[in-house]
Amino acid sequence: MFDSIPNNVNLESNPKLQRALLTWQPDFLAWWNEVGPEGFQEDRIFLRTAIGVGQGGWANYDYVKMPDYRWGIFLANPRKGDTVYFGDRIGEKLWDAVPGEFRKELRRLIVTQGDTEPASVEQQRLLGQTAPSLQDLRALLQVNVEEARHLWAMVYLLHSHFGADGRDEAEQMLERRSGHPDRPRILEAFNMPIRDWLAFFCFTTFTDRDGKFQLASLAESAFDPLARSTQFMLMEEAFHMATGEGGVARTVRRSGELMHAGTDPRSVGALPLEIVQKYINEWSSASYDLFGGEDSTNAANYFAGGLKGRFNENDPGKYADHKALEESYEAKVFQDGQWVAKRIPLRRAMNAVLLDSYRDECARIVERWNGVLEETGASERLTLPSLRFNRKVGLYSGQSYDPQGQPLAAGTWQARRDEWLPSQADRDYVQSCMVPVVMPGKVANWIAPHVKGIAGKPLDFQYVQFH
Ligand code: BYC
C-alpha cells in the first residue's frame, strides 16, 4: 500500500504510523465514495498529482480515475533558520514533536484546519453536474482531490503526533458532515450550501483565500511538521484561488459585454451584476467570520506560544517587533448610538491583523474584476463589503451594518437584507442558468470562455474522458 502513497515523510520506516493510516484509509475511501464528487468516479480526469519537492517539479499531470488518485503526504523543504522567531519562545529550537503544554492547542488548530478540507468537498459534491465547460469540470475535480489531500496532510499530523486522541480525531473528521443538523462541520462557512457555480467561484475566491492566510500563519509555527505541511499545501491552494478569481472574472466579462451591447443579461440567461454583487457580499462576509474574533485570547495564546504567527511573520523588514507585547490595535465599534474606539493589545488582536491583510488582498481582486468590467465598456462596478457587514463572529456581530459599514437602525436589516444578500429568487435564477456543457472547447452562455488551457493543453482539450 505504501508504494501507492507518495510521501517524503519516510512512511516506509514507521510501522506504527503505517498501521494507523492503514486503518484510516478504507474509511477515507468510503467517505469519498459517499460524499465526494457525485458522478465522474469512473471517468478519467486530467489531474495534477503532488509528487514531492524535488527538482523535477512538485506535481505531474495525467489522466486518472479519482478513486485511484494518489493522495500523498508531503512536507516542504526545511526553513532557513532552525529557531522560533516570534512569541515568548524566540530563539528556542523549532519543535519536531508536540510539547506537552501545547498539545491541546495544536490538536485543536490541526483539527479545525483539517475539518474544513472534507467539508469543502461535501459542499461542492453536486457541482460537476452543471459545469459550464469541460475545463471548469476538471478544475472543480482538481480542487476536490487536492482538498482531500489536505485532509491527508492533517490526518498524518494527528496520527504521527497525537496518539490515540489523534486517531479518534481523524475518524471524526470523516463523521462530521457539512450542514448536518447534529454533526456539522466546525466552522460556519463550511456548513453553507454551494449549489451553483457562482457560489463555487466566490467560495474559491474568498473562502479558499482564508485558507491561504490561515495556512500561511500556521506555516510560521514553531511546530515544524505543521509549518512544513501547510507550506506545501499552499502550493496547491494557488490554483484553487485562481479558479475562483478567474471564474468571477469570466462571469462579469460576459455580463459586462452584454450590458455594453445594450442587452439585459437576464434576457439571454446570463447573470446580472447585482446578483454577482450579492454573492460577493455573502461569501466575503462569511469568510471574514472565519478569522475568529478580533479580540481573542485564543489568538494571543497561539502567538505567545509560537504556534501561529502573522502573515509572512519571518519576512525581513515586515515586522519590527516579533514579541508584539508593546503595541495595540484600534477598532471602531458602534455602541449605544455612537462610535467608540476600542484598543486591543496586539497579541489579542492577531485575528484582526490577519483579517486586515486578507481584506487588502480581496480588495485588489475586486479591483481586477472592475478592470475586466472597464475593458467591456460597462460602467457598473463591484465593491467589497466592509468588515462590519453581516458578521456573526467578533466585534461587529452584535449590531447590523450595511455593506459600507454604516450602522443600521433596529429592524432595518430584515427589511433590506435582500438588497445585499442573495434572495431565494436570486438563487433560483442563478440555478436556472446552470446548464452543463461538456463538449471540449464549448462554454455555457452565462460565462466567457477561458483564455488559456491547463498545463499547456489547448482550450478544446479532452480534460475529462467519460467512460
Ligand atoms: N465559526 O477566540 P475566537 C481552509 C469559535 S479555511 C464557528 O474568537 P480563535 C479551506 C472558536 O472556535 C482555513 N465557530 O477565535 C478553505 C472559539 O470556540 P471556543 C481553516 C467559530 O479561536 C476552503 C470561539 O468561537 N483553517 O483551509 O482565535 C476550502 C471564540 O473564538 C468561528 C483555520 O481556521 C467560526 N467562523 O480563531 C478548504 C486555522 N470563529 O474556544 C479549506 C485553524 C471562531 O469558545 N483555526 N469560532 O470553543 C484557527 O486558527 C482558529 O480556530 C480560528 C478561530 C481562526 C478559526
Side-chain angles (χ1 to χ4, degrees):
M1 162 209 176
F2 287 95
D3 293 346
S4 70
I5 302 184
N7 74 88
N8 66 358
V9 296
N10 219 356
L11 219 57
E12 295 68 20
S13 69
N14 190 337
K16 208 167 151 219
L17 181 56
Q18 286 183 19
R19 271 198 303 280
L21 286 171
L22 261 176
T23 317
W24 187 77
Q25 191 191 36
D27 295 342
F28 165 79
L29 283 172
W31 165 82
W32 177 267
N33 286 324
E34 185 193 325
V35 283
E38 184 153 306
F40 314 108
Q41 300 289 344
E42 291 300 312
D43 301 324
R44 286 158 46 86
I45 325 287
F46 187 69
L47 289 176
R48 174 175 80 178
T49 304
I51 50 168
V53 288
Q55 290 186 333
W58 63 274
N60 63 19
Y61 288 83
D62 208 347
Y63 284 107
V64 57
K65 284 190 191 174
M66 285 186 289
D68 300 334
Y69 190 76
R70 298 176 73 203
W71 283 284
I73 300 171
F74 300 104
L75 302 183
N77 286 325
R79 285 173 274 185
K80 281 210 186 73
D82 60 357
T83 53
V84 182
Y85 44 78
F86 65 92
D88 292 338
R89 300 188 164 218
I90 293 177
E92 258 184 36
K93 218 163 163 2
L94 295 174
W95 320 321
D96 289 326
V98 174
E101 67 269 37
F102 293 132
R103 198 179 159 82
K104 194 172 115 253
E105 285 81 1
L106 279 169
R107 172 176 146 188
R108 185 191 166 110
L109 283 170
I110 292 166
V111 166
T112 309
Q113 176 63 51
D115 188 71
T116 62
E117 316 290 359
S120 67
V121 174
E122 292 162 9
Q123 286 170 293
Q124 297 163 16
R125 67 185 292 258
L126 297 177
L127 290 176
Q129 318 284 340
T130 54
S133 75
L134 213 49
Q135 191 172 330
D136 285 301
L137 174 59
R138 179 219 164 266
L140 167 76
L141 301 175
Q142 179 75 66
V143 167
N144 291 164
V145 290
E146 288 180 345
E147 298 301 7
R149 198 200 71 72
H150 292 179
L151 169 63
W152 274 85
M154 293 300 108
V155 163
Y156 158 72
L157 293 175
L158 289 169
H159 277 172
S160 50
H161 294 278
F162 294 86
D165 295 349
R167 291 194 289 280
D168 281 354
E169 293 284 11
E171 281 303 325
Q172 287 174 41
M173 219 80 96
L174 301 173
E175 286 162 12
R176 287 185 287 272
R177 288 285 180 276
S178 176
H180 194 285
D182 307 319
R183 293 178 283 126
R185 292 294 174 182
I186 296 171
L187 299 175
E188 228 14 76
F190 294 90
N191 289 307
M192 289 164 59
I194 302 179
R195 295 206 180 90
D196 59 65
W197 279 73
L198 183 56
F200 172 63
F201 290 142
C202 287
F203 178 92
T204 38
T205 298
F206 295 111
T207 311
D208 276 86
R209 183 159 275 95
D210 166 58
K212 168 184 167 178
F213 279 78
Q214 299 295 341
L215 290 172
S217 59
L218 295 173
E220 309 290 344
S221 184
F223 179 40
D224 203 44
L226 173 62
R228 289 168 59 199
S229 296
T230 50
Q231 189 67 49
F232 193 90
M233 289 155 76
L234 282 165
M235 298 201 288
E236 288 152 318
E237 209 56 62
F239 173 74
H240 307 183
M241 291 180 291
T243 297
E245 180 180 344
V248 175
R250 288 160 53 219
T251 305
V252 301
R253 180 176 296 285
R254 173 74 176 134
S255 303
E257 283 169 356
L258 287 164
M259 285 154 58
H260 185 60
T263 308
D264 176 0
R266 275 183 194 269
S267 66
V268 294
L271 303 179
L273 284 186
E274 61 269 19
I275 294 189
V276 177
Q277 179 66 61
K278 291 185 198 181
Y279 273 62
I280 291 172
N281 292 348
E282 176 166 55
W283 285 101
S284 57
S285 59
S287 303
Y288 299 158
D289 276 344
L290 288 174
F291 286 77
E294 286 81 357
D295 184 351
S296 161
T297 50
N298 287 343
N301 293 337
Y302 297 153
F303 188 86
L307 312 182
K308 187 178 173 194
R310 284 167 289 190
F311 188 63
N312 293 338
E313 181 77 42
N314 206 22
D315 275 14
K318 178 130 189 175
Y319 303 102
D321 169 17
H322 293 283
K323 283 194 170 287
L325 278 171
E326 308 298 327
E327 293 168 68
S328 60
Y329 179 95
E330 189 176 305
K332 253 176 51 184
V333 280
F334 195 74
Q335 263 171 10
D336 304 324
Q338 56 179 335
W339 288 103
V340 185
K342 187 173 159 56
R343 281 210 161 275
I344 308 169
L346 189 54
R347 281 189 177 185
R348 284 201 349 228
M350 286 304 171
N351 290 339
V353 171
L354 194 62
L355 176 56
D356 285 343
S357 311
Y358 165 84
R359 189 171 184 281
D360 288 347
E361 190 168 295
C362 292
R364 287 197 290 278
I365 286 155
V366 173
E367 275 324 298
R368 289 204 284 269
W369 291 335
N370 283 333
V372 171
L373 282 172
E374 188 165 351
E375 277 170 36
T376 66
S379 55
E380 288 77 358
R381 294 293 178 263
L382 298 164
T383 57
L384 186 65
S386 155
L387 287 175
R388 300 188 197 113
F389 174 72
N390 191 31
R391 297 297 302 275
K392 313 228 168 24
V393 172
L395 280 185
Y396 307 111
S397 57
Q399 147 86 42
S400 304
Y401 296 87
D402 71 10
Q404 287 72 44
Q406 293 310 310
L408 295 169
T412 316
W413 172 261
Q414 268 319 322
R416 300 191 60 188
R417 184 212 168 275
D418 287 0
E419 280 174 44
W420 300 319
L421 292 172
S423 64
Q424 192 53 48
D426 294 329
R427 294 188 205 283
D428 292 346
Y429 175 73
V430 175
Q431 198 63 58
S432 74
C433 301
M434 300 291 120
V435 280
V437 175
V438 292
M439 284 268 290
K442 298 282 182 243
V443 63
N445 195 38
W446 59 270
I447 187 166
H450 284 97
V451 287
K452 211 167 122 219
I454 293 292
K457 299 293 180 203
L459 290 169
D460 60 357
F461 186 67
Q462 187 79 46
Y463 287 105
V464 178
Q465 293 177 341
F466 296 104
H467 70 289

